[in-house]
Amino acid sequence: MMQQLQRPYCARCQHRIRSILRDVDDYALENLDSTKACYLYKKGQVIFSEGIPPTGLFCVHKGKVKVYKTGGEGREKIMRLAKNGDVIGYRSLLTGEPSSVSAAALEESVICCIPQETFFKLLRGNGGFSMRIIELLSAELGRAEEEIVHIAQKPVRERLAEALLLLKDTYGTEDGDSSALNVRLSREELAGIVGTAVETLVRALAEFKRQRLISTEKKKIRILDLPRLIEIGNLHD
Amino acid sequence: MMQQLQRPYCARCQHRIRSILRDVDDYALENLDSTKACYLYKKGQVIFSEGIPPTGLFCVHKGKVKVYKTGGEGREKIMRLAKNGDVIGYRSLLTGEPSSVSAAALEESVICCIPQETFFKLLRGNGGFSMRIIELLSAELGRAEEEIVHIAQKPVRERLAEALLLLKDTYGTEDGDSSALNVRLSREELAGIVGTAVETLVRALAEFKRQRLISTEKKKIRILDLPRLIEIGNLHD
DNA sequence: CGAGCGATTGAAAAGACTCAACCACCGTGG
DNA sequence: CCACGGTGGTTGAGTCTTTTCAATCGCTCG
């Protein structure tokens, strides 16, 4: 399915200092490096799927990943976007349930998989690591609860503004064009972030274009009026 | 503001075996009992408020509590319902931020407050306790993500069915009337659980009554057709 | 070149929200 | 004791938002 790669060393990984592995000791790092696996996923490839028991913790070495849930009528809600140094798949690992979400690569991505046993060894052996996990879960829970209120109470237009700001925050802008978001999403994916139907998303995008807040050129989105976008996104907080 | 009570002993608390304190050792329990405080809150009294730095971990000894967020136009979204043995206020404690939610008593409630320092002492000193916190956060995150999809994709009618089932699960039914929910909520609060406007909630309730799925008598809600309610609530999962 | 998918637009319908009025109940103070 | 005011619940009507369905367009890939 996906290509297996030679493992990069966590010990030398540039993302590690900002990741949840930041204060894992050398001994544990060695164990980690010797038990993990590393894969190359092509754009669109599924990393793991809802309903399947998790096999380990996934760590994005390089690339962009969407974490999503598939709702009743097959509509996809994107729960989280992961970038270099982010981990995914930890929640179901911790509850011992089958995964409650799926994950797929938004672009070609290199992703390491830390086996379940290694993960739990880290958790038990290292107080710092379990504290990082707690912080991660707390932050995610906070974000999720925010999103519940927003989806329940804010109109699409404001949620779209928020989504665009999130994309800028998460993936930044292109080298040489600081207004162009550094990620390419289909309209369906964008709708999945906002939590609305594709057609509604397209109309909201068109309105933003008319108002010169953004411009689009295929999947490339440029932010033309950041202050105004922030205003719209945070209007009803 | 609220009445301070003599502290009940955690060591003898009947809820402890099912709570996150279940495997705290005797020594730590003693420290807990000597540093905590315990208060009586009347119906409607606020326990803590959004935006205020947390002072400790709250543990519901007896009573019913709503945890909620206030959205843009002052509309209240209820995020969680707590019962005997449940803890609230842990998330902001863990991230070190001001509280992202408020909490208030749904009925007269006895609630203990474990000071921040005692809480962190438990967290550092006891691997089991931090594991319980991780499980709690993971479960809450799972529930929150479920709710995001539901609010984004399910109509009010189905979310109301879910809410009624949640109330039954959480607080059970009255002694001597196994169809009557053992909790009294205002229509506004019910709307806050479902995530909709009061008028919309009232209409959905009226429809359920017409279809003989439930009956209401003031704030008392009886579930008349549980199987059908389950069907409606889980239709689009 | 044609098939097919993703993006876009239009039109209609459904769902939910708002506003306003009204009712029912409750407790208070005269 | 009763009138009063207030709050919470309910209903109706109209409006706005969002969804749905259908059709079109444009591009890409075989």
Side-chain angles (χ1 to χ4, degrees):
Chain A
M1 184 138 180
M2 61 282 174
Q3 193 185 336
Q4 183 149 5
L5 299 178
Q6 202 182 347
R7 302 179 286 233
Y9 291 111
C10 285
R12 298 186 205 149
C13 178
Q14 54 170 322
H15 311 303
R16 192 171 64 87
I17 42 168
R18 265 168 274 112
S19 85
I20 57 163
L21 296 173
R22 86 182 76 121
D23 39 25
V24 169
D25 61 59
D26 292 346
Y27 174 73
L29 269 188
E30 250 177 65
N31 177 253
L32 216 171
D33 273 330
S34 64
T35 58
K36 79 185 181 192
C38 190
Y39 306 98
L40 178 71
Y41 294 88
K42 293 207 193 57
K43 177 175 169 171
Q45 271 196 317
V46 170
I47 300 159
F48 57 82
S49 290
E50 211 168 333
I52 311 285
T55 60
L57 179 73
F58 291 87
C59 184
V60 180
H61 181 65
K62 181 159 181 18
K64 300 185 175 73
V65 172
K66 63 174 173 181
V67 177
Y68 59 96
K69 264 176 177 293
T70 310
E73 288 85 10
R75 246 173 66 190
E76 209 171 84
K77 177 71 188 78
I78 293 186
M79 310 304 300
R80 203 155 83 82
L81 295 167
K83 60 176 188 299
N84 295 352
D86 288 342
V87 292
I88 57 179
Y90 47 87
R91 206 204 62 82
S92 52
L93 217 50
L94 291 165
T95 57
E97 298 161 354
S99 179
S100 60
V101 294
S102 306
L106 289 171
E107 59 181 47
E108 185 168 286
S109 299
V110 178
I111 296 169
C112 298
C113 179
I114 299 169
Q116 193 161 358
E117 312 81 59
T118 308
F119 174 70
F120 279 106
K121 213 174 281 178
L122 281 174
L123 208 55
R124 277 190 301 267
N126 186 311
F129 184 71
S130 66
M131 209 50 215
R132 293 297 86 73
I133 290 285
I134 287 176
E135 285 165 8
L136 178 59
L137 286 166
S138 299
E140 284 301 306
L141 181 56
R143 276 178 15 86
E145 292 187 335
E146 271 295 304
E147 186 165 4
I148 290 175
V149 183
H150 289 178
I151 291 205
Q153 303 189 353
K154 289 169 113 179
V156 165
R157 167 185 173 70
E158 294 170 27
R159 303 208 311 268
L160 172 58
E162 270 192 330
L164 293 170
L165 297 171
L166 171 70
L167 288 174
K168 186 173 144 73
D169 273 11
T170 308
Y171 296 126
T173 50
E174 286 185 3
D175 306 343
D177 184 349
S178 69
S179 68
L181 295 182
N182 190 27
V183 59
R184 303 303 156 99
L185 298 171
S186 68
R187 297 302 190 238
E188 195 175 346
E189 285 167 333
L190 213 37
I193 297 175
V194 175
T196 189
V198 178
E199 296 92 326
T200 308
L201 179 275
V202 168
R203 283 182 241 270
L205 270 184
E207 195 194 326
F208 277 14
K209 284 196 278 189
R210 244 178 290 122
Q211 301 175 201
R212 310 239 179 282
L213 304 174
I214 63 169
S215 72
T216 69
E217 181 186 322
K218 300 272 165 65
K219 291 181 162 112
K220 179 194 284 196
I221 300 177
R222 282 205 182 76
I223 293 187
L224 304 180
D225 192 342
L226 185 59
R228 186 98 186 76
L229 220 47
I230 292 173
E231 200 181 313
I232 295 171
N234 297 336
L235 209 53
H236 298 303
D237 258 352
Chain B
M1 183 135 177
M2 61 283 174
Q3 192 184 335
Q4 182 150 6
L5 300 178
Q6 201 182 348
R7 303 179 286 233
Y9 291 111
C10 285
R12 295 186 207 147
C13 179
Q14 52 171 323
H15 311 304
R16 193 171 64 86
I17 42 166
R18 263 170 273 111
S19 84
I20 57 163
L21 297 172
R22 88 183 76 121
D23 39 25
V24 169
D25 60 61
D26 292 346
Y27 174 73
L29 269 187
E30 251 178 65
N31 176 253
L32 215 170
D33 273 329
S34 64
T35 57
K36 79 184 181 193
C38 190
Y39 305 98
L40 178 69
Y41 293 88
K42 293 207 194 55
K43 178 177 169 170
Q45 270 194 318
V46 171
I47 300 158
F48 57 83
S49 290
E50 213 168 331
I52 311 283
T55 60
L57 179 73
F58 291 87
C59 183
V60 180
H61 182 66
K62 181 162 182 13
K64 300 186 175 74
V65 172
K66 63 173 173 181
V67 177
Y68 58 96
K69 264 176 177 292
T70 310
E73 287 83 11
R75 245 173 66 190
E76 209 170 83
K77 176 73 188 79
I78 294 186
M79 310 304 299
R80 203 155 82 80
L81 295 167
K83 59 175 188 299
N84 296 352
D86 287 343
V87 293
I88 56 179
Y90 47 89
R91 206 204 60 82
S92 52
L93 218 50
L94 291 165
T95 56
E97 298 160 355
S99 180
S100 60
V101 294
S102 307
L106 289 171
E107 58 181 48
E108 185 168 286
S109 299
V110 178
I111 296 170
C112 298
C113 180
I114 299 169
Q116 195 161 359
E117 312 82 60
T118 307
F119 173 69
F120 279 106
K121 214 174 279 177
L122 281 174
L123 207 55
R124 278 190 300 268
N126 187 311
F129 183 70
S130 66
M131 208 50 216
R132 294 296 88 72
I133 290 285
I134 286 177
E135 286 165 6
L136 179 59
L137 287 167
S138 298
E140 283 302 306
L141 181 55
R143 275 178 17 85
E145 292 187 335
E146 270 296 301
E147 187 166 4
I148 290 174
V149 183
H150 289 177
I151 292 202
Q153 304 190 353
K154 289 169 112 180
V156 165
R157 171 187 171 67
E158 294 170 27
R159 304 210 308 269
L160 172 57
E162 269 191 332
L164 293 169
L165 297 171
L166 171 71
L167 288 174
K168 185 172 145 72
D169 273 10
T170 308
Y171 296 126
T173 51
E174 286 185 3
D175 307 342
D177 185 348
S178 69
S179 69
L181 295 182
N182 190 26
V183 59
R184 302 302 155 99
L185 298 170
S186 68
R187 298 301 191 241
E188 194 176 348
E189 286 167 332
L190 213 37
I193 298 175
V194 175
T196 189
V198 179
E199 296 93 326
T200 308
L201 180 274
V202 170
R203 284 182 240 271
L205 269 184
E207 195 194 326
F208 277 15
K209 283 196 278 188
R210 246 178 289 124
Q211 300 176 196
R212 309 238 178 284
L213 305 174
I214 64 169
S215 72
T216 70
E217 181 187 322
K218 300 272 164 65
K219 291 184 161 95
K220 179 194 284 196
I221 299 177
R222 282 206 183 76
I223 292 187
L224 303 180
D225 191 341
L226 184 59
R228 185 99 187 74
L229 220 47
I230 293 172
E231 201 181 312
I232 294 171
N234 298 336
L235 210 52
H236 298 302
D237 258 353

